[in-house]
Amino acid sequence: MLCFYYLHQKVERVIGGVFEKYGRFIARHPWKTVVFIGIINAALGVGLLKIDPESGIHQYVPIGSTASKDQKNVETLFKINTTVNFYVQSLPDLGQFGEVIIELKNGDNILNISNWRHIKELTAYIQNTSIVDSSGNIYTFADLCARSHGDCVVDGSFLLDNKFILDMNSNNITYPIYNLSAQQTIVLDRFIGNVNAPNGLIIQATALKLRFNLQSESFDLSRQWEKRFVERMALFENTDITVKYSYSDSLSVELSKNVTGDISVFSVTFTLMIVFACLALMGMNCVDNRYFLGLAGILSTCLAILASFGLVSACGITFVDIVGIMPFLILGIGVDNMFILLSGLADTNSAQDVETRIGKTIRTSGIAITITSITDIVAFCAGAASVFPSVRNFSWYTGCAVLFCYINYLTFYTGVMAINESRVTKQLHWFTCCKTKSHEVLKAEGKSKMFVLFCGGAARQKREEVEGPIEKYPKILLKKAVLSGPTRIVIIILFIGYLGVSAWGARNFREDLDLRNLVSSDSYHYKFYDTNLNYFSQSFFVSFYISSEIDYRQESNVLKIESLLKKAKGDKDIGSTFQLSWLNSYINSHEYDISTKSNFTIGLKSFLALHGNIFVNDVTISGNSIVASRFHVLSTNLKTSSEQASLMVRMRDIAKSSVLPVFVFSPPFVFFEQYVQIVPQTIQTLAIAVSVVFLVTAIFMPLPVLILLVTVSVSMIMVGVIGLMQIWGLTLSSVTMIHIVMCVGFSVDFSAHICHAYAHVPGENRDARVSTALDLAGGPILNGALSSVIGIVVLAFSKSYIFFSFFKVMFIVVVVGAMHAIFLLPVLLSWIGPIYGTPETEPVNDKMKYSETDEEKQNELMNYKQNTIPRLSTASLRSLNKAS
C-alpha cells in the first residue's frame, strides 16, 4: 500500500507542479492570453464558410458494408434501361417514384365500383403533373416514367383493369395471390390494405396503394418531378377520398427538415444557460462577485463550438444532421468545467497574491477537468472510427469541440479568472470598477441599506461567502446523509434496487429503428409511412446472383440452383410459393435447346426477346457465354428491424453454403446492415471508452481503490443508462448509439470529480475527507448537473426523434451520474476510501498581508512550498506502518 502512496505523491508533485506553473504563467499574462485565444477561436471559425451540410437516411447506413459492396457488384454485372425494361425486382436500388395511399374519408370498404371514378381522377391528376427544365422544356409523367414493353409502369395499375373490376363486382378476388391473366400473377397485399378475406376471397378492404415509377436515366428531372408531385398532392382535394403520399427521397428530406427546425432552439438554450450561470454565480458582494465569470464561461464554450465547427468543416468533414445536438452537449460540458474551476478558486486564500491563487486553482481543478476532458475526447475518438457516417462525423465535431472547450477553459477562462481576481484584490466594484468599501465600513459611515447592498463589498474570507444557494445548502444535507450510518444502508439498498432494475432493462434492450420516428408526426411522410406499415405488406424481393460463368446445361448445376432456391423458400420468412427463375421458365419454353452451348445461348436470347418477358434483366450474356444471372424469391411481411436483419443474415448463410459462385442481395439490405453491425460497434466503443476511463484514472489518481471505484461507477452508470433507455421506450440504433458514445464520457465526469477531490483534500479519517470532498466538489457537481438539464430541457418539446431521444439519454446520464457522485461514491469512500495519502496543509493566517520586502517574500515562498508539498500525517503514518 505504501508504494501506491509514494507513486500518487510523485504523480501529484510532477503533474500538479506542471499545472501550477502553467496557471501562474497565465496569471502573469491574462490579457494577452484572453485576446490571443479569442483571435485564434475566431480565426478557426472562418472555416464555417466551407461547411458542407449533408442530410439523408444514408447517414445511418454503415459504409463499406457487405450490402454496399454487393450493390456495386450488381450494378457492374447488370445494366438496366428503365426507359424500356423496368421491373422492380431487377433494380439495384429502391428506385425513384411517387406513391399514394387512397382511403375513403368515412373508412368504409373501398372496393366498390362507385369509388373508381375518384381513383381515375387521382391517377389523371398525378399523370398530368409537369415540370419545366432550365431550357423551358416541359415534362409530364409520360415523358419521365419508367417503361416496360412500351407502357408506363404504375404498380397497382391492375386495379383499373377490366378483369379486376369484374371480379371485384362479383366478389371473386382471391387473396393474397391473384391471377389477372395466365401470364400475370399479383401479390395483392402490397397494393390492397387492411383486408378482410376470411375464405381466401376479399370481402372488404379500406386502402389502395399506387406507385408511379420514374426512369433512373433522367435522375435530376425525375427528382424534380417528384418534388412537384409532393407540391401538387398537398393541394389535391376530393370530397370522398383521403390521399396520403410520399416519394423516394421523402424520408431523407423530412428528416433533414425536422432536425434543422429544432437546431433553432439553441438560441433559447443559450439564453437559459446565461441566465442560470449568472444567477448561480452572482451574489450580494459587489467586489467578490462572479457575474462576469458566468458570462465568460458561456463565451468560452461558444467560442469552442465556433472553432470546432470551423476547423472540422475546413478539414472537409461533412456536417450531418445529428451534429446539430452537439452545441447542447458542449454547453453542459463547458459549464461543468466552469463550476469546477470556480470551486477550486473559491477554496484558495484571498489574502494570497493572484498568481498564487490561480496557480493553486489550476493545480487542483485544472487536473480535475483534464481527467474528464481526456476521457470525453477519447470516447469520441473511438466513435470517430465507426462505420456509421452519422456516428463518425458527430464524433469528429464533438470530440474537437470538447478539446477546444478544454483548451479555452485552461487559457481564455483562466485569464478571465486572473483579471477578475486582480479586480477583487484592488477592491473594485464588479460593475463600475470603482474603489469600493466593505459592507461593515459603509454601515459604520451611516449609508442606507440599499447603498450598502449595491455599493459595498470586499474580498472573501472563506468560500461560503461566494457560494450560490445550490453550492451552499444541498451539501449540508448531503454530508448528513452520507455520513450517517442508517442513511448509508438505505442508500446502498436503493442503489442495489436501481442496479437490479437497470440490469433487467439492459437485458431486454433491443436493436430497432422505427423510421416513423425520424420525421415529425405532422409530416406528410409520417402519415403515409404509418398507414403503409399498418395496412400493407412490407415484403421485398431477395435475389440470388450467380456472379461468374457456369454451364447451365448441366443437370448438376440446374439441381444446385433448384436446391439453393428450395432452401431459401424453406426459410420461415420467405414465401414458399413464389419464385422468379428464368432458368425454369426457359427449360419449359419452346426455345430451350441444350444441344450445344451456342444453341443454348441463342435459344435463351430468343426466349428473353419474347414480348413482356419479365426475365429480360436477369441474364447477362456476352457472346455465347452467360457471365451472370439471378433468381428471385419474396420475403413475408417483415415489419421489425430485427426480423429484417435476421433474414438477411440467414440468406447470406444459405448463399455461402452453396458450391455455386453465388451471393444474395436486395436493395433494403443496404439499410438493414446497420441492425447487424450496431451491436458489435456499440460494444467495441463502450469497451474502448471504459478502458480509457481506467487508464486515465490510473495516471492521474494511481490509487487502486479510487481507480476501482471510478471504473465500477462508470460501468454502473452505463448499465443504468442502457436499462433506463429501454424502460423509457428507446431502442439501440445508429441514432441512440451516438447518445451512448456521448454518455461514456459524460458518466465519468461527476465520479472523477468527487474521487479526485477526495484524493487531494486533508482529513484525519475517511469521514472527514468525504466531508471536505463534498465541500469542494459537491456544489460544482450539483451546479453542473442542473446546468446540463437546463441546457437540454427545451429538447423535451422537440418533434425530432433525434433531439427528443438525445434529451432522454442526456437526462438519464446526468441524473444517474450525479446520484452516483453525491450519494453512492461518498458512502463507499467513507467505508473503503484510501486514507494513506492525506495531504496535510498548514493553516493559513487569514490576516496575512502582502509582503513588501524581499525577506518577507522569501519567507512567504518557503511557506508556500511547505504548504503545497503533501506530507503524511501522524495518523496516516500509523495506518501505513500497520498495513505494512
Side-chain angles (χ1 to χ4, degrees):
M1 302 298 283
L2 184 61
C3 63
F4 287 115
Y5 163 72
Y6 285 128
L7 177 61
H8 174 236
Q9 295 304 306
K10 185 174 182 179
V11 170
E12 165 62 21
R13 282 194 297 270
V14 173
I15 298 179
V18 171
F19 273 79
E20 184 168 347
K21 289 179 182 178
Y22 168 78
R24 285 172 165 267
F25 173 80
I26 297 295
R28 291 194 297 270
H29 311 283
W31 281 107
K32 293 179 182 178
T33 302
V34 169
V35 173
F36 178 73
I37 295 300
I39 292 173
I40 292 296
N41 278 267
L44 290 173
V46 175
L48 273 172
L49 297 174
K50 292 189 175 182
I51 193 168
D52 180 21
E54 184 179 22
S55 61
I57 194 63
H58 62 277
Q59 301 169 13
Y60 306 97
V61 174
I63 57 176
S65 64
T66 300
S68 298
K69 295 175 182 176
D70 289 342
Q71 186 179 46
K72 292 179 181 178
N73 198 12
V74 170
E75 292 171 345
T76 302
L77 293 173
F78 298 90
K79 304 299 181 183
I80 301 173
N81 186 350
T82 59
T83 64
V84 179
N85 295 312
F86 176 92
Y87 292 98
V88 66
Q89 72 273 12
S90 305
L91 296 178
D93 52 37
L94 297 176
Q96 288 179 278
F97 52 83
E99 203 165 18
V100 293
I101 293 175
I102 310 159
E103 298 174 282
L104 291 178
K105 290 186 175 180
N106 59 15
D108 285 348
N109 180 23
I110 198 170
L111 295 179
N112 189 299
I113 191 60
S114 63
N115 299 319
W116 250 235
R117 62 185 177 89
H118 302 304
I119 298 173
K120 291 179 180 179
E121 176 191 344
L122 173 64
T123 302
Y125 181 82
I126 293 173
Q127 292 177 335
N128 287 333
T129 299
S130 62
I131 59 171
V132 181
D133 67 6
S134 57
S135 301
N137 299 314
I138 299 175
Y139 297 89
T140 64
F141 175 71
D143 299 315
L144 298 172
C145 69
R147 293 180 179 270
S148 180
H149 44 86
D151 298 326
C152 287
V153 179
V154 178
D155 296 339
S157 60
F158 68 89
L159 295 169
L160 301 176
D161 190 278
N162 290 331
K163 168 73 163 52
F164 180 85
I165 294 174
L166 289 173
D167 288 340
M168 180 180 66
N169 289 334
S170 60
N171 295 322
N172 194 33
I173 301 176
T174 58
Y175 185 87
I177 303 298
Y178 174 72
N179 294 313
L180 187 65
S181 66
Q183 293 79 29
Q184 190 173 5
T185 299
I186 300 170
V187 182
L188 291 184
D189 58 4
R190 296 162 63 90
F191 307 103
I192 304 178
N194 198 21
V195 173
N196 183 8
N199 298 314
L201 294 175
I202 298 180
I203 61 174
Q204 185 179 13
T206 63
L208 303 175
K209 184 168 69 172
L210 298 173
R211 173 180 287 192
F212 296 81
N213 295 290
L214 299 165
Q215 55 189 243
S216 57
E217 285 74 12
S218 304
F219 181 87
D220 292 336
L221 288 173
S222 294
R223 178 67 79 225
Q224 188 179 344
W225 188 93
E226 287 177 314
K227 293 178 180 178
R228 179 59 181 157
F229 160 80
V230 171
E231 293 173 359
R232 280 175 53 81
M233 290 312 304
L235 301 174
F236 180 79
E237 293 182 356
N238 188 284
T239 57
D240 295 317
I241 63 173
T242 297
V243 180
K244 298 171 184 176
Y245 53 92
S246 182
Y247 74 100
S248 61
D249 203 37
S250 284
L251 178 59
S252 295
V253 172
E254 291 298 295
L255 167 63
S256 178
K257 186 187 300 183
N258 198 19
V259 173
T260 304
D262 282 328
I263 291 177
S264 61
V265 302
F266 178 68
S267 58
V268 178
T269 299
F270 180 72
T271 304
L272 289 175
M273 292 295 278
I274 290 177
V275 172
F276 172 77
C278 294
L279 290 179
L281 297 175
M282 186 177 183
M284 292 295 101
N285 187 334
C286 294
V287 171
D288 210 335
N289 192 301
R290 302 184 292 175
Y291 175 83
F292 283 122
L293 290 179
L295 287 178
I298 302 297
L299 179 59
S300 297
T301 305
C302 290
L303 286 174
I305 295 170
L306 174 66
S308 63
F309 274 154
L311 178 61
V312 180
S313 297
C315 292
I317 306 297
T318 55
F319 183 93
V320 296
D321 294 329
I322 201 164
V323 176
I325 67 176
M326 182 267 274
F328 300 94
L329 173 63
I330 299 302
L331 269 178
I333 292 175
V335 173
D336 179 50
N337 288 344
M338 177 184 74
F339 284 122
I340 290 296
L341 287 173
L342 291 180
S343 177
L345 182 62
D347 211 47
T348 61
N349 187 356
S350 62
Q352 294 176 318
D353 62 88
V354 173
E355 185 178 326
T356 300
R357 297 204 298 274
I358 297 298
K360 287 185 175 182
T361 299
I362 300 303
R363 182 186 184 106
T364 55
S365 298
I367 292 178
I369 68 171
T370 298
I371 296 173
T372 58
S373 296
I374 289 176
T375 52
D376 287 342
I377 291 168
V378 175
F380 288 116
C381 285
S386 172
V387 297
F388 294 95
S390 57
V391 178
R392 182 191 60 198
N393 290 16
F394 173 82
S395 297
W396 274 112
Y397 275 94
T398 309
C400 190
V402 173
L403 175 61
F404 278 116
C405 191
Y406 170 68
I407 292 173
N408 282 3
Y409 272 94
L410 284 187
T411 54
F412 182 91
Y413 191 74
T414 302
V416 173
M417 285 198 305
I419 294 169
N420 186 75
E421 288 302 291
S422 178
R423 177 190 60 77
V424 172
T425 300
K426 296 174 183 178
Q427 197 74 13
L428 302 180
H429 194 281
W430 72 274
F431 187 74
T432 65
C433 285
C434 296
K435 194 74 174 179
T436 304
K437 298 178 181 179
S438 67
H439 289 151
E440 291 75 13
V441 172
L442 291 177
K443 288 178 183 178
E445 292 179 355
K447 300 295 184 181
S448 67
K449 291 183 179 179
M450 294 296 290
F451 188 90
V452 172
L453 183 64
F454 290 104
C455 298
R460 66 188 177 279
Q461 297 301 310
K462 50 186 179 180
R463 67 176 292 133
E464 286 77 9
E465 294 179 15
V466 292
E467 287 183 328
I470 300 175
E471 294 174 288
K472 187 180 298 183
Y473 301 116
K475 67 184 181 184
I476 298 174
L477 298 176
L478 286 175
K479 287 191 287 187
K480 289 182 179 180
V482 300
L483 298 178
S484 169
T487 312
R488 288 172 178 172
I489 301 300
V490 172
I491 290 173
I492 295 300
I493 292 174
L494 289 175
F495 268 91
I496 291 174
Y498 144 82
L499 189 60
V501 172
S502 299
W504 174 84
R507 183 179 180 183
N508 294 294
F509 194 51
R510 59 189 178 88
E511 51 179 329
D512 190 21
L513 179 60
D514 189 340
L515 297 182
R516 288 173 293 188
N517 289 332
L518 297 181
V519 299
S520 173
S521 58
D522 57 6
S523 164
Y524 71 86
H525 181 71
Y526 180 95
K527 298 171 184 176
F528 174 89
Y529 189 86
D530 183 63
T531 303
N532 186 42
L533 188 67
N534 291 323
Y535 284 178
F536 297 92
S537 173
Q538 304 303 301
S539 61
F540 50 89
F541 289 100
V542 177
S543 306
F544 290 88
Y545 291 79
I546 297 179
S547 56
S548 59
E549 184 178 350
I550 66 170
D551 191 349
Y552 292 91
R553 296 177 300 152
Q554 291 184 5
E555 185 178 357
S556 60
N557 285 335
V558 174
L559 292 175
K560 290 173 185 176
I561 293 171
E562 290 180 350
S563 175
L564 175 69
L565 296 178
K566 184 178 180 181
K567 283 183 180 180
K569 291 191 294 181
D571 188 274
K572 65 182 180 67
D573 291 326
I574 294 291
S576 60
T577 60
F578 181 92
Q579 76 173 33
L580 291 175
S581 170
W582 65 267
L583 184 56
N584 282 353
S585 297
Y586 178 41
I587 290 173
N588 294 325
S589 71
H590 297 294
E591 288 78 14
Y592 183 62
D593 185 351
I594 60 171
S595 57
T596 64
K597 181 178 180 181
S598 176
N599 288 341
F600 181 87
T601 305
I602 292 172
L604 178 58
K605 289 180 179 179
S606 300
F607 168 74
L608 296 175
L610 293 176
H611 181 72
N613 196 316
I614 63 173
F615 303 111
V616 65
N617 296 323
D618 290 343
V619 184
T620 300
I621 301 174
S622 177
N624 288 326
S625 300
I626 302 173
V627 296
S629 71
R630 55 187 165 191
F631 305 86
H632 312 280
V633 293
L634 185 68
S635 78
T636 56
N637 183 18
L638 302 180
K639 295 186 177 183
T640 66
S641 57
S642 57
E643 293 175 329
Q644 295 162 348
S646 179
L647 173 64
M648 179 179 70
V649 172
R650 295 198 305 273
M651 291 298 103
R652 285 177 177 169
D653 290 340
I654 290 174
K656 289 178 182 178
S657 67
S658 174
V659 296
L660 296 169
V662 62
F663 68 92
V664 63
F665 175 75
S666 179
F669 281 7
V670 176
F671 189 75
F672 296 167
E673 284 282 6
Q674 69 158 309
Y675 306 128
V676 175
Q677 299 197 31
I678 193 68
V679 172
Q681 281 278 305
T682 303
I683 293 174
Q684 172 185 310
T685 304
L686 287 178
I688 293 173
V690 173
S691 300
V692 169
V693 169
F694 180 87
L695 181 62
V696 172
T697 306
I699 292 174
F700 287 93
M701 293 184 290
L703 300 171
V705 174
L706 295 186
I707 296 172
L708 177 65
L709 288 179
V710 172
T711 306
V712 170
S713 176
V714 170
S715 301
M716 286 180 62
I717 292 171
M718 290 311 304
V719 170
V721 169
I722 293 173
L724 294 175
M725 282 174 66
Q726 194 277 334
I727 293 172
W728 208 347
L730 295 176
T731 56
L732 179 61
S733 67
S734 53
V735 174
T736 53
M737 177 189 172
I738 294 172
H739 306 332
I740 293 174
V741 170
M742 167 204 74
C743 284
V744 178
F746 225 86
S747 63
V748 72
D749 286 6
F750 298 145
S751 300
H753 290 328
I754 195 70
C755 287
H756 184 264
Y758 178 91
H760 292 84
V761 296
E764 292 296 325
N765 54 52
R766 294 187 178 101
D767 285 357
R769 296 183 72 169
V770 167
S771 177
T772 310
L774 284 172
D775 278 335
L776 186 64
I781 289 173
L782 289 172
N783 267 331
L786 186 56
S787 64
S788 296
V789 171
I790 290 174
I792 61 171
V793 70
V794 294
L795 299 182
F797 308 99
S798 172
K799 295 180 180 179
S800 167
Y801 173 76
I802 291 174
F803 282 84
F804 187 52
S805 61
F806 172 75
F807 162 75
K808 287 183 176 181
V809 177
M810 188 72 172
F811 183 82
I812 291 171
V813 73
V814 168
V815 173
V816 171
M819 293 302 101
H820 277 73
I822 62 178
F823 286 111
L824 180 63
L825 285 176
V827 169
L828 295 178
L829 287 169
S830 70
W831 285 344
I832 62 173
I835 58 172
Y836 42 79
T838 307
E840 181 183 354
T841 305
E842 296 286 336
V844 180
N845 185 357
D846 289 341
K847 297 182 180 180
M848 182 179 66
K849 303 296 182 182
Y850 295 109
S851 303
E852 297 295 337
T853 66
D854 291 339
E855 182 178 354
E856 287 176 328
K857 289 182 179 179
Q858 186 65 27
N859 291 335
E860 186 177 349
L861 178 62
M862 292 299 295
N863 287 334
Y864 167 75
K865 289 181 178 180
Q866 293 174 357
N867 291 339
T868 54
I869 297 177
R871 300 176 311 194
L872 284 172
S873 65
T874 304
S876 299
L877 283 171
R878 290 197 191 103
S879 300
L880 281 172
N881 292 331
K882 189 174 182 179
S884 301

